[in-house]
Amino acid sequence: MPIIALPVDIFLCIFRFLDIADILRLRQVCRPLHDLSRLKSVWHILLCTQISERDVPFPTVSSDGLEARELERLVRRAIRARRNWTAAAPRVSRRVDIQTSDITRTPPRQRAIKELKLFHRGSHPYLMSATISVQTGTQHPLLVIECWDIQRTPFCVARKHGPWAGSVLFNADPSFPPSVAIQGFDDVQILSLSTVAHSFNSTFTPVARLPISVGRLISFSGRVVISLESDGRLFMYDSNRAQHRMELLSPSLPLLRAHFAQPNQEPDVCYEAIITDDYLVLLRARYIAFYALRTFRRGPATMHGTLHPAVYHVWQWPIDSGRIAQRASYKAIRNKTEPPLNIVVRFASTYPWPTNMLNHYILHPNPDYLPHLGVSRDNAPYDLGPTHLQTLSAPLRLFSQTDMVIGEYSTCIWLDSHTEAYFQQSATGQRLAGRVLKQRASPSPTSSIASVFNVHDTDTWHQLAIDERYSRIAIGAQDGRVTVMDYA
């Protein structure tokens, strides 16, 4: 019996053990195998084995309504983009430069990008930017929120401006409509964005006002807003219930070592938060803590109370900066467990200049966690403490600009000062570097070589955004410019 006479189901079972290169070579053997390799079921299998099971980013489109040729194109594009993304020097396939609007004709040196967000509506890409302009003769800077269509030539589809009172955040939950939380002088206003409105005046719609008058915004995800007051206290608000507020209490911490204790040091900094339906994760300068949200979610509309951390881990040293993000995990979805948590921190130094390394930790999900019982000391969603997996070289000059973000597929990108090899001098210059974070521990923690996405001969970059599904990075500068780079 010739092999070509085998049933199609047998071939589909065999194809589960082949990669895309094998399928493309098989296509060239004969006409029957060529036709077989064009079947949509073949590319559904490759989408599962080569993309989903390996946690490779894939555009957020449903494959159900796609033709076989279109599905093949998207799968091959995803593999090709990931190969370029993880190269030592990823190649930029498209670059877009955006000059944010200058309503007051402010000189570039008096403008700065404060926040960026990349998102999609269907397959259409957008960029949201928040820019402040320091105007001569005025008491407060001007804040301009804009949304840019970056499908082809970028153009602004939405704009909102007002006085700058200290902080602004875009909604981090992709399941919610694009929205922004803006700190005012008496409250925080939450605006929802429409990308199909017919005029600038109707694109941003007020949806909530929260009684937050001091401090700064820390996190905005879904309908939850977290604010840090000037005395270091944290409060959590529900945008659907303006009078619903709870204070997030800190655990009892050991005293700092004498060389880390500084009398003029600001209160314990909060770097990032992850908010889920059941729990909250806070990354602060001295600890990482989990809070149960059942009381907060189900409490009365006018509830004022406190939340104690259910479990926490105290860092060996204070951290100078850090990021935390859940990792997209096919295994976690299949096993119905929590996804791993990536944590990247730069520890504080006893000297004025920062340390030259980033440290990558991972929190593994607790296999015995039972969500219906709620989060507690005996029912934690993750195993504490964090496992140290690798160090990343990221040297910084004194007072240099830096930022760091972690994508949903474990890519960490950051700005550092490692530019001597490019500009033959070390006084100025920035490097945009990154690394797909490893997920398994080695016998001993290792130092990893970073990919270099771009370099810059001045020190004006200071804000980053990432969209791993579409291999896209946005960089905001102190002169109000934004550069968007595609690597697909």
Side-chain angles (χ1 to χ4, degrees):
M1 180 180 180
I3 188 173
I4 208 64
L6 291 173
V8 173
D9 290 347
I10 300 298
F11 278 106
L12 295 181
C13 291
I14 295 172
F15 288 169
R16 292 192 61 86
F17 300 95
L18 303 181
D19 59 26
I20 291 179
D22 296 327
I23 298 296
L24 296 180
R25 283 191 290 266
L26 194 65
R27 175 178 290 178
Q28 302 174 27
V29 173
C30 62
R31 172 62 64 179
L33 289 178
H34 177 276
D35 295 341
L36 187 64
S37 71
R38 294 287 187 183
L39 293 177
K40 184 176 180 179
S41 54
V42 172
W43 292 97
H44 265 298
I45 289 174
L46 293 173
L47 175 62
C48 180
T49 60
Q50 304 295 308
I51 304 294
S52 299
E53 292 181 3
R54 299 185 181 184
D55 295 330
V56 173
F58 192 73
T60 51
V61 295
S62 173
S63 61
D64 296 338
L66 297 178
E67 298 291 337
R69 181 169 295 183
E70 179 65 11
L71 181 58
E72 176 183 342
R73 185 188 70 83
L74 289 175
V75 171
R76 294 178 65 177
R77 177 187 180 275
I79 294 295
R80 185 169 59 250
R82 198 60 168 177
R83 188 181 302 119
N84 180 51
W85 185 263
T86 55
R91 178 184 57 85
V92 178
S93 60
R94 176 175 176 260
R95 173 175 172 145
V96 174
D97 292 306
I98 300 172
Q99 177 63 67
T100 55
S101 300
D102 183 11
I103 297 176
T104 58
R105 300 187 182 278
T106 306
R109 66 180 179 275
Q110 295 177 264
R111 303 169 63 208
I113 302 294
K114 298 302 292 183
E115 195 76 19
L116 293 172
K117 180 178 177 62
L118 292 163
F119 70 98
H120 275 72
R121 278 291 159 265
S123 59
H124 211 82
Y126 294 92
L127 168 77
M128 289 182 72
S129 64
T131 311
I132 62 168
S133 302
V134 180
Q135 308 167 63
T136 304
T138 60
Q139 184 177 4
H140 302 287
L142 180 72
L143 170 67
V144 181
I145 308 292
E146 293 174 303
C147 180
W148 299 84
D149 185 323
I150 56 174
Q151 179 74 29
R152 295 182 178 85
T153 302
F155 65 93
C156 185
V157 299
R159 182 179 297 127
K160 178 76 173 180
H161 62 86
W164 168 253
S167 57
V168 59
L169 287 176
F170 297 123
N171 200 324
D173 190 336
S175 66
F176 273 68
S179 51
V180 57
I182 303 174
Q183 175 79 54
F185 298 107
D186 300 316
D187 57 15
V188 168
Q189 187 176 23
I190 297 179
L191 307 175
S192 180
L193 168 70
S194 170
T195 56
V196 295
H198 298 291
S199 68
F200 282 173
N201 294 330
S202 60
T203 49
F204 285 100
T205 305
V207 294
R209 286 184 180 273
L210 301 176
I212 308 174
S213 57
V214 295
R216 64 184 179 89
L217 301 179
I218 294 299
S219 181
F220 176 32
S221 180
R223 68 186 199 190
V224 177
V225 176
I226 298 177
S227 173
L228 178 68
E229 296 198 355
S230 56
D231 60 0
R233 294 192 301 164
L234 281 173
F235 286 91
M236 181 167 54
Y237 298 81
D238 187 331
S239 62
N240 286 359
R241 300 176 291 175
Q243 300 303 318
H244 189 75
R245 183 184 83 165
M246 299 198 77
E247 182 180 357
L248 302 172
L249 299 179
S250 298
S252 299
L253 301 174
L255 294 176
L256 283 173
R257 298 176 183 177
H259 52 268
F260 277 113
Q262 300 177 14
N264 297 325
Q265 192 175 19
E266 62 179 307
D268 193 16
V269 181
C270 183
Y271 293 111
E272 200 158 24
I274 292 177
I275 303 167
T276 72
D277 290 338
D278 299 322
Y279 57 86
L280 161 72
V281 189
L282 280 184
L283 177 64
R284 304 198 72 173
R286 295 197 59 197
Y287 62 87
I288 179 172
F290 287 78
Y291 295 80
L293 293 189
R294 178 170 295 185
T295 302
F296 176 78
R297 298 285 191 190
R298 301 179 182 178
T302 58
M303 181 177 185
H304 288 192
T306 59
L307 282 179
H308 292 267
V311 290
Y312 62 91
H313 169 79
V314 179
W315 299 109
Q316 185 176 3
W317 304 282
I319 62 176
D320 179 74
S321 59
R323 289 290 183 265
I324 182 170
Q326 289 183 322
R327 170 179 174 261
S329 171
Y330 175 83
K331 180 180 178 181
I333 295 174
R334 183 186 61 195
N335 296 338
K336 297 181 179 180
T337 63
E338 300 301 301
L341 285 181
N342 284 312
I343 307 170
V344 178
V345 300
R346 186 189 297 272
F347 285 110
S349 169
T350 57
Y351 302 99
W353 52 86
T355 58
N356 287 332
M357 289 189 300
L358 300 173
N359 290 272
H360 170 219
Y361 294 84
I362 192 168
L363 280 179
H364 294 288
N366 176 11
D368 298 322
Y369 171 60
L370 300 174
H372 67 277
L373 296 180
V375 176
S376 64
R377 182 180 298 274
D378 299 322
N379 189 44
Y382 290 87
D383 293 329
L384 290 178
T387 302
H388 186 213
L389 295 187
Q390 60 189 327
T391 58
L392 302 161
S393 176
L396 286 176
R397 287 184 296 273
L398 186 62
F399 306 128
S400 61
Q401 298 288 338
T402 185
D403 192 23
M404 173 172 55
V405 294
I406 304 176
E408 63 175 318
Y409 286 89
S410 300
T411 296
C412 178
I413 59 173
W414 63 87
L415 297 173
D416 65 29
S417 307
H418 190 31
T419 57
E420 293 88 344
Y422 303 95
F423 306 123
Q424 306 302 317
Q425 51 88 19
S426 58
T428 60
Q430 290 174 288
R431 180 181 74 157
L432 171 61
R435 175 77 181 181
V436 178
L437 302 172
K438 60 189 295 186
Q439 300 303 317
R440 295 180 178 84
S442 303
S444 60
T446 58
S447 179
S448 301
I449 299 175
S451 299
V452 180
F453 288 89
N454 208 340
V455 292
H456 188 49
D457 59 0
T458 65
D459 291 335
T460 58
W461 289 347
H462 75 135
Q463 195 72 38
L464 295 175
I466 186 173
D467 184 350
E468 270 193 277
R469 288 184 181 271
Y470 293 87
S471 302
R472 182 173 292 130
I473 294 174
I475 311 174
Q478 289 180 309
D479 59 0
R481 295 181 184 273
V482 179
T483 300
V484 180
M485 296 174 292
D486 291 351
Y487 294 87

